[in-house]
Amino acid sequence: MKQTLLKGEVLPCHEMTKTAPRCLRTDAAELCVHGEVIVPGPVACVEATQVGGTEGSTCTRSEYKSRRQGRWERRQARRMQHKKDRSDAVGGIKDIFTYHSLFKYGKDCCRAVRWKNSVQRFETHLFSRTAVQLRDVLNKKRPWMKCTHFLLSERGKTRQIDAPHIYDRQIQKLFTKEVLTKLYVPQMIWNNGASMKGKGLLFSQKIVARDLRRHFKKYGMNGWVITTDCKKFFPSADHDYIKGIHARLMFDTGIRDMADSIVDSAPDSKGMMIGIEPSQMEMVHYPTMLDTYMQCQLGLCGSGHYMDDFYALVPPAMDPKRVLEAIMKKAEENRITLSRKKTFIHKFGKPFRFCKAKYTITGTGRVIINGSRETAKRLRRKLNSF
């Protein structure tokens, strides 16, 4: 039998769980907590009553805020300690840049491009040149060489590519694999598969299909699907925002200075270069704050992205327009510009496109993935030319 409380009356707590005290009597029409009427719903005991010497005695708002502030400070301290432990595990410049590791990644730079004359000369003098590279890096006398700029037109879109010199690639590859990857991957969501070893585009497509099946199993054919795209993802990257990430995750000054110097090596004061390996890793990690906001704050478990393409499955109890506005606002706070023209709200069950693939879910929960027709035509022409 439901109990109706009068205004100003506090819900008593008679039953408590062993691990986290939570009130099991949350069926009141109106619940007054600390003198304020709130809407009915699951309410923690610590928010409704403070069980002390007298059962049902309430806590003051100042005590409630102080406990919340203490919990938040302890969580922040644990997170900061985890970041520091990861940074200490990576080490400093002398721990990362050794002759053996630099020579190893120099060999990796030669894979699949040994037909180039410059690569052949580089590999011929790799043994002695690696010692010179190591000495310059440790003495901080290694300036970045000028990149080769050229335009690449693919699928009707023109992009400006910056190809680094192979001597810079040797250092940048080592820095990306041994520093950026180890510090950034623990911060990212698991279904971020772009440029990740063992994942990739096929992995992301399978994750989208898995999220669609889970949504269908829980809500049926009800709900919505939000798809959006970033506008000028690489050219619009903010350097100060990326340097702020370096300051939060890199506690060694030498490592942080090298990461900042790679960002400053871009020809413009804004944007990251396409074609440089550290730049790719920086942009894979760039929307991490937006990902965690969508999954943790908004509660959109079926959400993710592949580089600059985002998707989110909205339950039927939530308003998709309000969810989209919240995502847009959070993206602006994190220096991400979402394209309004490429943002769509689809009714769940209707076909939609994500990363050039078409997704369709049937009434039985089966997900059908169709590739891009233009991609098939382009590959067919390429095979005929070969």
Side-chain angles (χ1 to χ4, degrees):
M1 181 178 179
K2 292 187 177 181
Q3 178 185 6
T4 303
L5 297 182
L6 300 177
K7 186 174 181 180
E9 187 177 356
V10 178
L11 181 69
C13 178
H14 299 290
E15 300 181 9
M16 311 286 286
T17 58
K18 294 182 180 179
T19 55
R22 287 193 175 274
C23 185
L24 303 181
R25 302 177 59 188
T26 57
D27 51 355
E30 287 186 352
L31 178 62
C32 182
V33 179
H34 303 300
E36 296 182 2
V37 178
I38 63 174
V39 296
V43 180
C45 273
V46 70
E47 297 177 358
T49 60
Q50 174 68 26
V51 180
T54 304
E55 184 177 3
S57 60
T58 60
C59 62
T60 62
R61 176 163 290 275
S62 60
E63 293 173 349
Y64 174 63
K65 287 185 176 180
S66 64
R67 288 199 304 270
R68 289 192 63 181
Q69 181 70 17
R71 289 195 298 267
W72 180 81
E73 291 177 355
R74 289 191 293 271
R75 287 197 301 269
Q76 290 297 102
R78 287 195 298 268
R79 290 168 183 167
M80 182 61 66
Q81 186 61 38
H82 292 162
K83 294 176 184 178
K84 190 176 185 306
D85 292 342
R86 283 193 290 267
S87 180
D88 294 342
V90 169
I93 287 289
K94 294 183 179 180
D95 301 323
I96 297 168
F97 287 90
T98 61
Y99 183 88
H100 176 76
S101 60
L102 203 57
F103 185 86
K104 170 191 170 184
Y105 286 102
K107 278 289 186 181
D108 292 344
C109 292
C110 301
R111 290 182 179 178
V113 288
R114 285 188 169 89
W115 54 272
K116 294 183 178 181
N117 188 14
S118 59
V119 177
Q120 294 173 4
R121 292 197 304 268
F122 169 78
E123 193 170 15
T124 301
H125 304 284
L126 180 60
F127 187 81
S128 59
R129 183 68 184 183
T130 299
V132 177
Q133 293 267 76
L134 180 61
R135 182 194 61 192
D136 294 342
V137 168
L138 296 180
N139 295 333
K140 298 182 180 181
K141 297 180 180 180
R142 179 65 173 78
W144 302 112
M145 298 183 181
K146 188 176 180 180
C147 297
T148 303
H149 306 278
F150 60 92
L151 296 178
L152 181 64
S153 181
E154 186 179 10
R155 296 191 296 272
K157 188 172 184 179
T158 303
R159 294 182 176 89
Q160 184 170 349
I161 309 299
D162 300 275
H165 198 277
I166 191 168
Y167 291 113
D168 287 346
R169 283 187 59 201
Q170 182 184 12
I171 299 175
Q172 291 171 359
K173 181 177 283 292
L174 170 59
F175 188 79
T176 303
K177 298 297 184 182
E178 299 296 332
V179 178
L180 296 183
T181 302
K182 293 182 178 180
L183 295 180
Y184 283 173
V185 171
Q187 297 286 321
M188 298 187 300
I189 59 175
W190 177 76
N191 54 355
N192 185 358
S195 301
M196 294 288 103
K197 185 177 180 181
K199 295 183 179 180
L201 181 59
L202 183 61
F203 167 83
S204 298
Q205 292 178 351
K206 291 180 179 179
I207 292 299
V208 176
R210 184 207 65 178
D211 291 340
L212 289 173
R213 287 190 291 267
R214 288 183 175 179
H215 185 96
F216 174 82
K217 187 176 180 180
K218 190 173 183 179
Y219 303 106
M221 299 296 287
N222 302 318
W224 294 269
V225 180
I226 297 177
T227 57
T228 183
D229 192 355
C230 293
K231 186 177 181 181
K232 295 183 179 180
F233 189 48
F234 274 78
S236 64
D238 190 89
H239 288 186
D240 294 334
Y241 182 80
I242 297 177
K243 291 180 181 178
I245 297 175
H246 296 166
R248 292 195 302 268
L249 299 182
M250 302 175 185
F251 291 83
D252 184 80
T253 55
I255 295 297
R256 187 167 59 250
D257 292 342
M258 177 169 284
D260 293 344
S261 67
I262 295 175
V263 175
D264 293 333
S265 64
D268 299 327
S269 60
K270 189 176 183 180
M272 297 296 291
M273 294 182 288
I274 303 177
I276 296 181
E277 193 166 355
S279 176
Q280 180 75 13
M281 194 64 206
E282 293 282 4
M283 297 310 296
V284 170
H285 177 267
Y286 195 79
T288 297
M289 295 296 292
L290 181 60
D291 292 334
T292 55
Y293 174 77
M294 293 167 61
Q295 292 193 0
C296 299
Q297 273 70 36
L298 296 182
L300 304 176
C301 298
S303 64
H305 80 280
Y306 186 86
M307 290 306 296
D308 59 341
D309 294 329
F310 291 81
Y311 76 94
L313 305 182
V314 182
M318 301 176 66
D319 185 5
K321 294 183 180 180
R322 295 183 62 182
V323 171
L324 179 59
E325 289 300 324
I327 293 175
M328 288 283 188
K329 183 179 179 181
K330 189 65 177 180
E332 292 179 359
E333 294 177 2
N334 291 274
R335 317 291 176 86
I336 300 174
T337 305
L338 299 180
S339 176
R340 292 278 183 177
K341 294 182 179 179
K342 298 181 180 180
T343 301
F344 304 97
I345 299 177
H346 311 269
K347 182 66 178 176
F348 189 84
K350 299 293 184 180
F352 67 94
R353 290 189 175 274
F354 177 74
C355 287
K356 302 295 183 180
K358 181 180 178 182
Y359 296 84
T360 307
I361 184 167
T362 63
T364 59
R366 179 191 175 194
V367 179
I368 302 174
I369 304 177
N370 299 107
S372 175
R373 187 179 296 273
E374 290 77 11
T375 303
K377 291 180 180 179
R378 185 172 62 255
L379 292 177
R380 192 178 296 114
R381 288 195 300 266
K382 186 179 294 185
L383 289 175
N384 292 334
S385 63
F386 285 158

